[in-house]
Amino acid sequence: MRVLVANANTTEAITEACVAAARRAAAPGTEILGATPAFGPRVISTRAENAIAAHALLSLLAEHAGKVDAVVLAVSHDTALDAARQLMPCPVVGMTEAACFAACLLGGKFAVLTLGTAVAPYEELVARHGLAGRCAAVAAISATAQEAIRDPEGAQAMLLEAIVELSRRADAVVLAGAALAGMDRVLQPRATVPLLDGIACAVKLAEMLVALGLPKPATGGYAAPSGREATGLSPALAALLKGG
Amino acid sequence: MRVLVANANTTEAITEACVAAARRAAAPGTEILGATPAFGPRVISTRAENAIAAHALLSLLAEHAGKVDAVVLAVSHDTALDAARQLMPCPVVGMTEAACFAACLLGGKFAVLTLGTAVAPYEELVARHGLAGRCAAVAAISATAQEAIRDPEGAQAMLLEAIVELSRRADAVVLAGAALAGMDRVLQPRATVPLLDGIACAVKLAEMLVALGLPKPATGGYAAPSGREATGLSPALAALLKGG
Amino acid sequence: MRVLVANANTTEAITEACVAAARRAAAPGTEILGATPAFGPRVISTRAENAIAAHALLSLLAEHAGKVDAVVLAVSHDTALDAARQLMPCPVVGMTEAACFAACLLGGKFAVLTLGTAVAPYEELVARHGLAGRCAAVAAISATAQEAIRDPEGAQAMLLEAIVELSRRADAVVLAGAALAGMDRVLQPRATVPLLDGIACAVKLAEMLVALGLPKPATGGYAAPSGREATGLSPALAALLKGG
Amino acid sequence: MRVLVANANTTEAITEACVAAARRAAAPGTEILGATPAFGPRVISTRAENAIAAHALLSLLAEHAGKVDAVVLAVSHDTALDAARQLMPCPVVGMTEAACFAACLLGGKFAVLTLGTAVAPYEELVARHGLAGRCAAVAAISATAQEAIRDPEGAQAMLLEAIVELSRRADAVVLAGAALAGMDRVLQPRATVPLLDGIACAVKLAEMLVALGLPKPATGGYAAPSGREATGLSPALAALLKGG
Amino acid sequence: MRVLVANANTTEAITEACVAAARRAAAPGTEILGATPAFGPRVISTRAENAIAAHALLSLLAEHAGKVDAVVLAVSHDTALDAARQLMPCPVVGMTEAACFAACLLGGKFAVLTLGTAVAPYEELVARHGLAGRCAAVAAISATAQEAIRDPEGAQAMLLEAIVELSRRADAVVLAGAALAGMDRVLQPRATVPLLDGIACAVKLAEMLVALGLPKPATGGYAAPSGREATGLSPALAALLKGG
Amino acid sequence: MRVLVANANTTEAITEACVAAARRAAAPGTEILGATPAFGPRVISTRAENAIAAHALLSLLAEHAGKVDAVVLAVSHDTALDAARQLMPCPVVGMTEAACFAACLLGGKFAVLTLGTAVAPYEELVARHGLAGRCAAVAAISATAQEAIRDPEGAQAMLLEAIVELSRRADAVVLAGAALAGMDRVLQPRATVPLLDGIACAVKLAEMLVALGLPKPATGGYAAPSGREATGLSPALAALLKGG
């Protein structure tokens, strides 16, 4: 089984970190491929960047249509998830979506923990996934991604303090944001609730969907596009919209 | 006051029709400019097209940043509305958003009426605008946009029947979709509830926001981007992300 | 265009302040008329007073039916808004309703800021307008209206502190309550998010509704009353209920 | 124990019918008093009438403050319920509120059945009581109140058909509206789910609240008014607002 | 009228305390019977215990089917309430359900106050009753039940502090948990909002339902079971499932 | 990896069918064990039976605590899911929960299809899982389980018709109820949307949770019980409650 780990940022280092995390989580027979968009934001951190990255990501995915068995979106905003799911002939799983759904299977409520000022976008994301009722809180430590990379031990101390606080209301904590990749393994021994990493969860859910062998919807808003005309798109993306 | 009517489809004829409708609604001192994206879907009708068009639309808007007083999004999916609102230095109003908010001022519940199979996307759009509790129903006549253009009288009869049905539960009906442009003027005399056209409402709300002279948020997720790096974007769009 | 600014309190000074604010916001061709009820609470601040003022307000409006093009309710509780909308032959806009809807066009979430112990009524009001999902918080400074009038600089300091706190979660702040009239202009230069004044927003929305020229619903719960009998009401109010 | 059955319509016959129903439901030691407002709508059936009747009802209640142990609002719109609860020194129960809460104790979901075009107001009322999640449906037979009074057997047949339909989704049915008074006793033998009459439920809940001997809230929005000034109100109502 | 006060814990002392509270609340003609399950958890405080106690409680109730006029569940988790309501031929009322519904009749919002770490289960319980919209907060003092029994004055001081805090948002406070039985009478004189005891409210509501004489639903999910086969259950419980 | 497929009905044939379905879905290294409760309802179809079966199921699970790596609840009501999750030292997955979460990964909305009169319990179950916002509909064909077993082709025709209808609103359909086991494989070729079988989904999610190696929550309402005392329970169940 070939699983594409598709970044929506144009930063190669993030792709590489996500591919490594995906390989750690993958079952023996799962091959992990990484891919980075040809254009778009270096690191998505605002609404406008997320909207622009959607096109970049879909162009990237179109190159791999028919060549992979599943796609994991390696971007914690689950950028263009519903569009990718409609466009691609194979299952597509978002990393934050995956962690939130997995967290639901471990208890009653989960929390999302991130850094900087990203609370509102994750609250909206959880709501869009229909999981607001299962989410006890979205919280952020005050450090930015840059600060967390410069001072990982300081960031870990802040994260641990936040996890202790969140575990009063939540049975599991989703760590969201590329800068927190791998933090689950470091912090889990000191936490009283399970910590979820989006890439690991997304790889396992992608493997599950491939194993279940379910068809793609052929009707409704997630059916593959057909006969759609466009201008100025990459040939692969234009071909997918055209269908046939 | 200069108001940009920005299409997100690449079909010039839709832009022209929307510009004409905007001019009918505009106050004496309001100048209406139309614009069409340089790339993207001919006519947005699926999730993937809507996601791609977001980039095209933001690129288009970036060309006009600082040159217009407000933007009306001339696309009934309110494509990239929140991203545009963040990106642009001036007010941005979506046409379906505008019609729904205006409808709220006329009674208790509104309905949205469209054609073809577009019910689910409009339901999601209304929910994203936080107005699900005011929306009695999203309904569609069975004709497609093409059929409505080929047989306008047939489409009008179907619309009128749907309006009668919807007026049992709704105090106002929003007509959504480019193919229904102008239908409000034709059908209003035969309807018992007000029919709302997105372009007209959006122009009036854009004029209101300009008149109120409110500043743009300088903090939070709608503050203008600053210092954001990207690759392969149009110079104007890259400059807006970079800020300064 | 003639717009009636109708107070629901019997305090003339509030009417005058609201009329002045309305005139500042009105377009050149808009004539603003003020009106104060003949009976009822001096200043509405409890549920019972609000219920009583509804009758007083509707009696007042009935005197102007057919003589004005739109009504702005100059009372931050949007007293009897749905009843007024049903009763009157012209558009009716509530000031808090107006500010909340306008705030929705500027970002994702808005907050409402008031004074004293009025949080719960505004929470209920926002919910009744169907906007609870867009409202990040309703907050109040500890000063009462009387204290704010006695010590405006103290009140401004408290408001500014609250606005800073609210702007962590909200993209815009609605200032609610007669005692805060005009505070938006004073505080805006020191705030990072737009501050909304209900009267200004309501005047602009009233102008919009008149310009759109939409008919009143002729069916459903907002259709004008017809053939309704009553005892002991003012002749004008009784006539409106009777219809014809 | 003295329980006031207070109508909000000015039609004496409705008061009398409700008093009779209240007496059938009352416990041996409960004395039922009826009262009709001195002014206001003959029969409340629109939003404007309901808003006007609030003042009339509160004026009526004020005459009885301190002279009764509890109040039952004998109007199916639960007119001015929260205001009355704030104003009066004794418990106040609305008849539709009472029937809905009682219905919740009998199963999972209840339905509300009324006549004419009154569905939306009851939906709003159930939502305002916070019970939308327990309400399977609000439905209406097509007959008006007048038609139901002229042809009771025809109305009963329509009601029974609706009850059969509603019992597929609901475990209990609330009969709402003065014209349906007493219908529960006639139709219950032919229904498979319990039918609830608002007056009977309200009398029993009023008796319960008196028996529990709970104090009125002394803080918050339901605390008795104090020091409130007003103009042109009845002496009794003005005195209650003034408090002391 | 015979009302069974059925404990779901196997601790006799709790049954006795609840029976005493029930007798204080009962009307003159109401006979109170207490009953304790033959097996199950000593004191329910976790999800697993609550699930196990459901069987024990239903077995206990089955012994009394046909011999009592109503059942009050003397367990603050309202254990197996919907199952008991379906199974028994008479009305069944839960004590927390009862207190929450009664609290709704006294103001706009209520709060639930308990002790230890029980907040989440009561939040879920309130939501399952459909009353989340009326519940301002579920809070707990830090003392456990054991600590409250050892140091009642310390617990009372903590409760009073919590009640003062909750009364800023709530018009009534429900005291939940066997360890708080009787606290309402001790604390009410020092509280500004009404304090509700579940047993008292449940007895009054049980009396109300018996007085109303409503039939049990004969259709839907609360109709008595019929023809259901089972293994290894008590004869009385097996007989109720079998019906007939 | 050893996965226990635990029935909550006492009908061996259902256990066997579920074990067979689980083996078809299991990965090569997964060993499937089946188990049937020692007491309780033959086939759960009412609230009372579901409540009784919870105890039976937890007793059954307790026998396997420490001997299996994960548990799949082979009962479409997800009986006692939260209690089992708290009680057991390993992951526990419910079959309907699993199918609903998997369905969420395939599109926007899912529907649940069952037979007989079971709509309301599944609606409540979906809501309890926090997924009401993702569920377009719960529907049932009119055939009972017995009729479906007697006339499988008739049932299939009815199911297919329902699936066609549901696929207008849903992107995936969950088949719920033991009588529909295996129907997904029969009907999938004729359906336009994916059909989900709970057992297959639950086995894959159980495998995922084991592979992720996440710890059980050590705090909150899903932490293992400890020091809990009970009477008359099986030694294994009593030991788990006691902990240690």
Side-chain angles (χ1 to χ4, degrees):
Chain A
M1 176 188 323
R2 289 161 61 88
V3 174
L4 178 70
V5 171
N7 195 356
N9 306 282
T10 52
T11 304
E12 285 279 2
I14 298 179
T15 312
E16 283 159 26
C18 290
V19 163
R23 286 192 178 134
R24 277 193 301 273
T30 302
E31 184 187 351
I32 301 292
L33 290 79
T36 309
F39 67 94
R42 200 72 57 87
V43 177
I44 300 168
S45 85
T46 70
R47 292 169 191 280
E49 290 167 297
N50 201 36
I52 295 163
H55 176 203
L57 177 66
L58 295 178
S59 297
L60 179 68
L61 294 185
E63 303 291 334
H64 295 81
K67 301 177 193 159
V68 294
D69 297 297
V71 172
V72 165
L73 299 188
V75 50
S76 62
H77 299 284
D78 291 351
T79 305
L81 175 56
D82 67 336
R85 202 162 266 161
Q86 185 216 346
L87 193 71
M88 292 291 281
C90 65
V92 178
V93 181
M95 65 184 274
T96 297
E97 169 194 58
C100 292
F101 277 115
C104 285
L105 301 174
L106 301 169
K109 298 261 184 178
F110 66 90
V112 176
L113 182 57
T114 185
L115 27 70
T117 57
V119 166
Y122 287 112
E123 285 177 342
E124 294 172 26
L125 185 58
V126 167
R128 219 152 54 226
H129 291 329
L131 292 176
R134 296 294 294 268
C135 182
V138 178
I141 59 171
S142 59
T144 63
Q146 282 73 9
E147 292 165 354
I149 288 160
R150 270 204 308 274
D151 177 12
E153 289 192 13
Q156 285 166 26
M158 293 168 85
L159 287 167
L160 209 59
E161 192 181 2
I163 290 166
V164 167
E165 170 59 28
L166 290 171
S167 65
R168 282 185 201 142
R169 286 175 289 163
D171 305 304
V173 175
V174 171
L175 300 181
L180 299 189
M183 285 292 190
D184 60 308
R185 286 177 301 150
V186 177
L187 298 174
Q188 184 67 78
R190 286 180 279 162
T192 63
V193 294
L195 307 182
L196 290 109
D197 171 64
I199 290 290
C201 295
V203 168
K204 301 319 284 180
L205 287 175
E207 290 174 346
M208 173 186 85
L209 292 175
V210 174
L212 288 172
L214 295 162
K216 187 182 167 67
T219 50
Y222 288 85
S226 167
R228 308 307 309 157
E229 302 283 347
T231 304
L233 304 189
S234 76
L237 185 52
L240 270 190
L241 288 176
K242 191 135 213 158
Chain B
M1 176 187 324
R2 289 161 61 88
V3 174
L4 178 70
V5 171
N7 195 355
N9 307 282
T10 52
T11 303
E12 286 279 1
I14 298 180
T15 312
E16 282 159 26
C18 291
V19 163
R23 287 191 179 134
R24 275 193 301 273
T30 302
E31 184 188 351
I32 301 292
L33 291 78
T36 310
F39 66 92
R42 200 72 56 89
V43 177
I44 300 168
S45 86
T46 71
R47 292 169 190 281
E49 288 167 299
N50 201 36
I52 294 163
H55 175 204
L57 177 66
L58 295 178
S59 298
L60 178 68
L61 294 186
E63 304 292 335
H64 294 80
K67 301 176 195 161
V68 294
D69 298 296
V71 173
V72 164
L73 300 187
V75 48
S76 62
H77 299 284
D78 290 351
T79 304
L81 175 56
D82 66 336
R85 200 163 266 162
Q86 185 217 346
L87 193 70
M88 292 293 280
C90 65
V92 179
V93 181
M95 64 184 275
T96 297
E97 170 194 57
C100 292
F101 277 115
C104 286
L105 301 174
L106 300 170
K109 299 261 185 180
F110 66 90
V112 177
L113 181 56
T114 185
L115 28 69
T117 57
V119 166
Y122 286 112
E123 284 177 342
E124 294 173 25
L125 185 59
V126 168
R128 218 150 58 225
H129 290 330
L131 292 177
R134 297 294 294 269
C135 183
V138 178
I141 59 170
S142 60
T144 63
Q146 281 73 10
E147 291 164 356
I149 288 160
R150 267 202 311 274
D151 177 12
E153 288 192 14
Q156 286 167 22
M158 294 169 85
L159 287 167
L160 209 58
E161 191 180 5
I163 289 165
V164 167
E165 171 59 29
L166 290 170
S167 65
R168 283 186 201 143
R169 286 174 289 162
D171 304 303
V173 176
V174 171
L175 300 181
L180 300 189
M183 285 293 191
D184 60 308
R185 287 176 301 150
V186 177
L187 299 174
Q188 184 67 78
R190 284 179 280 162
T192 63
V193 293
L195 307 181
L196 290 108
D197 170 65
I199 291 290
C201 295
V203 167
K204 300 320 282 180
L205 288 175
E207 289 174 345
M208 173 185 84
L209 292 174
V210 173
L212 288 172
L214 295 162
K216 187 181 165 69
T219 50
Y222 288 84
S226 167
R228 309 306 309 158
E229 302 282 347
T231 305
L233 305 189
S234 77
L237 185 52
L240 270 190
L241 289 177
K242 191 137 210 156
Chain C
M1 174 188 324
R2 290 160 61 88
V3 174
L4 178 71
V5 171
N7 194 357
N9 306 282
T10 51
T11 304
E12 285 278 1
I14 298 179
T15 311
E16 282 159 27
C18 291
V19 164
R23 287 192 178 134
R24 277 194 299 274
T30 302
E31 183 189 351
I32 301 292
L33 290 79
T36 309
F39 67 92
R42 200 73 54 90
V43 177
I44 300 169
S45 85
T46 70
R47 295 169 189 280
E49 288 167 299
N50 201 35
I52 295 163
H55 175 205
L57 177 66
L58 295 178
S59 298
L60 179 68
L61 295 185
E63 304 291 335
H64 295 80
K67 302 175 193 161
V68 294
D69 298 296
V71 173
V72 165
L73 300 187
V75 49
S76 62
H77 299 285
D78 291 350
T79 304
L81 175 56
D82 66 336
R85 201 162 267 160
Q86 185 217 345
L87 192 70
M88 291 293 281
C90 66
V92 178
V93 181
M95 65 182 276
T96 297
E97 170 195 57
C100 293
F101 276 115
C104 286
L105 301 174
L106 300 170
K109 298 262 184 179
F110 66 89
V112 176
L113 181 56
T114 186
L115 28 70
T117 57
V119 167
Y122 286 112
E123 285 178 342
E124 294 172 26
L125 185 59
V126 168
R128 218 151 55 225
H129 290 329
L131 291 175
R134 297 295 292 269
C135 183
V138 177
I141 59 170
S142 59
T144 62
Q146 281 74 8
E147 291 165 358
I149 288 161
R150 268 202 310 274
D151 177 12
E153 289 191 14
Q156 285 167 23
M158 295 169 84
L159 288 167
L160 209 58
E161 192 180 3
I163 289 165
V164 168
E165 171 59 30
L166 290 171
S167 65
R168 283 187 200 140
R169 287 174 289 162
D171 304 304
V173 175
V174 171
L175 300 181
L180 300 189
M183 285 293 191
D184 60 308
R185 288 178 299 151
V186 177
L187 299 174
Q188 184 67 78
R190 287 179 278 164
T192 63
V193 294
L195 308 182
L196 290 108
D197 171 65
I199 290 289
C201 296
V203 167
K204 300 320 282 180
L205 288 174
E207 289 173 346
M208 173 185 85
L209 292 175
V210 173
L212 288 172
L214 294 162
K216 186 181 167 66
T219 49
Y222 288 84
S226 166
R228 309 307 309 157
E229 302 282 348
T231 306
L233 305 189
S234 76
L237 185 52
L240 271 188
L241 290 176
K242 190 137 212 157
Chain D
M1 174 186 326
R2 288 160 62 89
V3 174
L4 178 70
V5 171
N7 195 356
N9 306 283
T10 52
T11 304
E12 286 278 1
I14 298 179
T15 312
E16 282 158 26
C18 291
V19 164
R23 286 189 178 137
R24 277 194 299 274
T30 302
E31 183 188 351
I32 301 293
L33 291 79
T36 309
F39 66 93
R42 199 74 55 88
V43 177
I44 301 169
S45 84
T46 71
R47 292 168 191 280
E49 289 167 297
N50 201 34
I52 295 164
H55 175 204
L57 177 67
L58 295 178
S59 298
L60 179 67
L61 295 185
E63 304 291 334
H64 295 81
K67 302 177 193 159
V68 295
D69 297 296
V71 173
V72 164
L73 300 188
V75 48
S76 62
H77 299 283
D78 290 352
T79 304
L81 175 56
D82 67 336
R85 201 163 265 162
Q86 185 217 344
L87 192 71
M88 291 293 280
C90 64
V92 179
V93 181
M95 63 183 276
T96 297
E97 170 194 58
C100 292
F101 277 114
C104 285
L105 301 173
L106 301 170
K109 299 261 184 179
F110 66 89
V112 176
L113 182 56
T114 184
L115 27 70
T117 57
V119 165
Y122 286 112
E123 285 178 342
E124 294 172 27
L125 185 59
V126 167
R128 219 153 54 226
H129 291 329
L131 292 176
R134 298 293 294 270
C135 182
V138 177
I141 59 170
S142 59
T144 62
Q146 281 72 10
E147 291 164 356
I149 288 161
R150 268 205 309 274
D151 177 12
E153 288 191 15
Q156 286 167 23
M158 294 169 84
L159 287 167
L160 209 58
E161 193 181 2
I163 290 165
V164 167
E165 172 58 29
L166 291 171
S167 65
R168 282 186 201 142
R169 287 174 289 162
D171 305 304
V173 175
V174 171
L175 300 182
L180 300 189
M183 284 292 190
D184 60 308
R185 286 176 301 150
V186 176
L187 298 175
Q188 185 66 79
R190 285 178 281 162
T192 63
V193 294
L195 307 183
L196 290 108
D197 170 64
I199 291 289
C201 295
V203 167
K204 301 320 283 181
L205 288 174
E207 289 174 346
M208 173 185 84
L209 292 175
V210 173
L212 288 172
L214 294 162
K216 187 180 165 68
T219 50
Y222 288 86
S226 166
R228 308 306 309 155
E229 301 283 347
T231 305
L233 305 188
S234 77
L237 184 52
L240 271 189
L241 290 175
K242 191 137 210 158
Chain E
M1 178 188 321
R2 289 159 62 88
V3 174
L4 178 70
V5 171
N7 195 357
N9 306 283
T10 51
T11 303
E12 286 278 2
I14 297 179
T15 312
E16 283 160 24
C18 291
V19 164
R23 285 188 179 136
R24 277 193 300 273
T30 302
E31 183 187 352
I32 300 293
L33 290 81
T36 309
F39 66 92
R42 200 71 57 87
V43 177
I44 300 168
S45 84
T46 71
R47 293 168 191 280
E49 289 168 299
N50 201 35
I52 295 163
H55 175 204
L57 177 67
L58 295 178
S59 297
L60 179 68
L61 294 186
E63 304 292 334
H64 295 80
K67 301 175 192 160
V68 293
D69 297 295
V71 172
V72 165
L73 299 188
V75 50
S76 62
H77 299 283
D78 290 351
T79 305
L81 175 57
D82 67 336
R85 201 163 266 162
Q86 185 216 346
L87 193 70
M88 292 293 280
C90 64
V92 179
V93 181
M95 64 184 275
T96 297
E97 170 194 56
C100 292
F101 277 116
C104 286
L105 300 175
L106 300 170
K109 298 263 184 178
F110 66 88
V112 177
L113 181 57
T114 184
L115 28 71
T117 57
V119 166
Y122 286 111
E123 285 177 342
E124 294 172 26
L125 185 58
V126 167
R128 219 151 55 225
H129 290 329
L131 291 176
R134 297 294 294 268
C135 182
V138 177
I141 59 171
S142 59
T144 62
Q146 281 73 11
E147 291 164 357
I149 287 161
R150 267 202 313 273
D151 177 13
E153 289 191 12
Q156 286 167 23
M158 296 169 82
L159 287 168
L160 209 58
E161 192 180 3
I163 289 165
V164 167
E165 171 60 28
L166 290 171
S167 65
R168 280 184 203 143
R169 288 175 287 163
D171 304 304
V173 176
V174 170
L175 300 180
L180 299 189
M183 285 292 190
D184 59 309
R185 286 176 301 150
V186 177
L187 299 174
Q188 184 67 77
R190 286 178 279 162
T192 64
V193 294
L195 307 181
L196 291 110
D197 171 65
I199 290 290
C201 295
V203 167
K204 302 319 284 181
L205 287 174
E207 289 174 346
M208 173 185 84
L209 292 175
V210 173
L212 288 172
L214 295 162
K216 187 182 167 68
T219 50
Y222 288 84
S226 166
R228 308 309 308 159
E229 302 282 347
T231 305
L233 305 188
S234 76
L237 185 52
L240 270 190
L241 289 176
K242 191 136 211 156
Chain F
M1 176 187 323
R2 290 159 60 88
V3 174
L4 178 70
V5 171
N7 195 356
N9 306 282
T10 51
T11 303
E12 285 279 2
I14 297 179
T15 311
E16 282 158 26
C18 290
V19 164
R23 286 190 178 133
R24 278 193 301 272
T30 301
E31 183 188 351
I32 300 293
L33 289 81
T36 309
F39 67 92
R42 200 71 56 87
V43 177
I44 300 169
S45 85
T46 70
R47 294 168 189 279
E49 289 168 298
N50 201 35
I52 295 163
H55 176 204
L57 177 66
L58 295 178
S59 298
L60 178 69
L61 295 185
E63 304 291 334
H64 294 82
K67 300 176 193 161
V68 294
D69 297 296
V71 172
V72 164
L73 300 188
V75 49
S76 62
H77 298 284
D78 291 351
T79 304
L81 175 57
D82 68 336
R85 201 163 265 162
Q86 185 217 347
L87 192 71
M88 291 293 280
C90 66
V92 178
V93 181
M95 64 183 275
T96 297
E97 170 194 56
C100 292
F101 276 114
C104 285
L105 301 173
L106 301 170
K109 299 262 183 178
F110 66 88
V112 176
L113 182 56
T114 185
L115 27 70
T117 56
V119 166
Y122 286 112
E123 284 177 342
E124 294 173 25
L125 185 58
V126 167
R128 220 151 54 224
H129 290 329
L131 292 175
R134 297 294 293 269
C135 182
V138 178
I141 59 170
S142 60
T144 63
Q146 281 73 9
E147 291 165 357
I149 288 161
R150 269 204 310 274
D151 177 13
E153 289 192 13
Q156 286 167 23
M158 295 169 84
L159 287 168
L160 210 57
E161 191 181 3
I163 290 165
V164 167
E165 170 60 29
L166 290 171
S167 64
R168 281 186 203 144
R169 287 175 288 163
D171 304 303
V173 176
V174 171
L175 300 181
L180 299 189
M183 285 293 190
D184 59 309
R185 287 177 299 151
V186 177
L187 299 175
Q188 185 67 76
R190 285 178 280 162
T192 63
V193 293
L195 307 182
L196 291 110
D197 171 66
I199 290 290
C201 295
V203 167
K204 301 320 283 181
L205 287 175
E207 289 174 347
M208 174 186 84
L209 292 175
V210 173
L212 288 171
L214 294 162
K216 186 182 167 68
T219 49
Y222 288 84
S226 167
R228 308 308 308 158
E229 303 281 348
T231 305
L233 305 189
S234 76
L237 185 52
L240 270 189
L241 289 176
K242 190 134 211 160

